Amino acid sequence: MNPFASIGRAVLGLLAEAGRFSAFVGRAITAVFTPPIFVGQFLRQCLQIGYFSLPVVGITAVFIGAALALNIFVGGARFNAEQFVPNIVVLGITRELGPVLAGLMLAGRVSAGIAAEIGTMRVTEQIDAMSTLSTDPFRFLVAPRVLAATLCLPLLVLVADIIGVMGGYLVAVNSLDFNGVTYLRNTFEFMEPQDVILGLVKAAVFGFIIAAMGAYQGYQSQGGALGVGRAATNAVVGAIVLILAVNYLITAFFVE
């Protein structure tokens, strides 16, 4: 009945979960950089995480770029600043919207998939059998997924940046009466390398978070099918929250 006791239990539970996740991440990082390296598993995860996510990321990017151009044009028209549409579109997509939205989309697709896959192996005792056969589950299951997501998400974000900018270009030229050559010239003149680099750094960190959270929730799952479903849900929610929090920290660090 004491509300402070409930708050204390919640805080202690949160700190304990953060400690378990940190220990899991430490083991995952160690597994990535120590042999044996399962190249076949890594390539398979690159295909699943990277190549098969291209349609989702591409469709998201083109509509975000188009909507961003329309909104910036409406807002700029109030101050006679419509000419800044290409500048703000490329800045918003490369620094913020490209990596964040790609990360959120992959959190729903990849993190839940990893949690469900590893969670099913956990509740069916396949992971225990793997340990019995002297195969480290972290090196065989966790490390390839973490490494693949960390390397593939920057490539997906690079594609999303290009598609998003072209989405804004198509709307600006076809609906807002912009000159196509002028639009592209303003885009390339305003864009700086550090804008793209910031987005790619974010993407690599987000990819690590997505895979690590999915693997952690799947590895800790228990209780049969219900536990696997709960692990997938927790993986998506946890990855999204961490992506948004880490996005602010990285942006603040680069801005300062």
Side-chain angles (χ1 to χ4, degrees), residues 90-208:
V90 69
L91 185 67
I93 288 178
T94 55
R95 291 179 66 96
E96 193 70 23
L97 293 178
V100 171
L101 290 175
L104 295 180
M105 295 301 295
L106 262 70
R109 181 187 180 277
V110 173
S111 192
I114 292 175
E117 186 177 0
I118 296 181
T120 302
M121 298 180 71
R122 166 61 74 185
V123 299
T124 56
E125 299 182 353
Q126 295 181 52
I127 294 179
D128 297 331
M130 195 177 298
S131 300
T132 303
L133 296 173
S134 300
T135 301
D136 187 354
F138 270 80
R139 290 190 174 90
F140 187 79
L141 297 176
V142 178
R145 287 165 172 81
V146 169
L147 184 60
T150 304
L151 297 179
C152 288
L153 191 53
L155 299 177
L156 289 173
V157 168
L158 192 60
V159 174
D161 290 345
I162 297 172
I163 296 176
V165 170
M166 292 310 298
Y169 166 83
L170 293 175
V171 169
V173 172
N174 296 320
S175 300
L176 304 178
D177 297 327
F178 275 75
N179 179 273
V181 176
T182 304
Y183 186 98
L184 291 177
R185 185 176 65 248
N186 291 341
T187 297
F188 289 115
E189 288 180 354
F190 185 78
M191 182 179 63
E192 296 182 357
Q194 55 263 35
D195 298 329
V196 180
I197 292 173
L198 173 59
L200 298 182
V201 170
K202 288 183 177 181
V205 177
F206 296 165
F208 179 86

Side-chain angles (χ1 to χ4, degrees), residues 207-218:
F208 179 86
I209 290 172
I210 289 167
M213 181 59 71
Y216 170 74
Q217 294 294 342

Side-chain angles (χ1 to χ4, degrees), residues 47-58:
L47 189 67
Q48 291 287 338
I49 296 172
Y51 181 75
F52 290 151
S53 298
L54 274 173
V56 176
V57 173

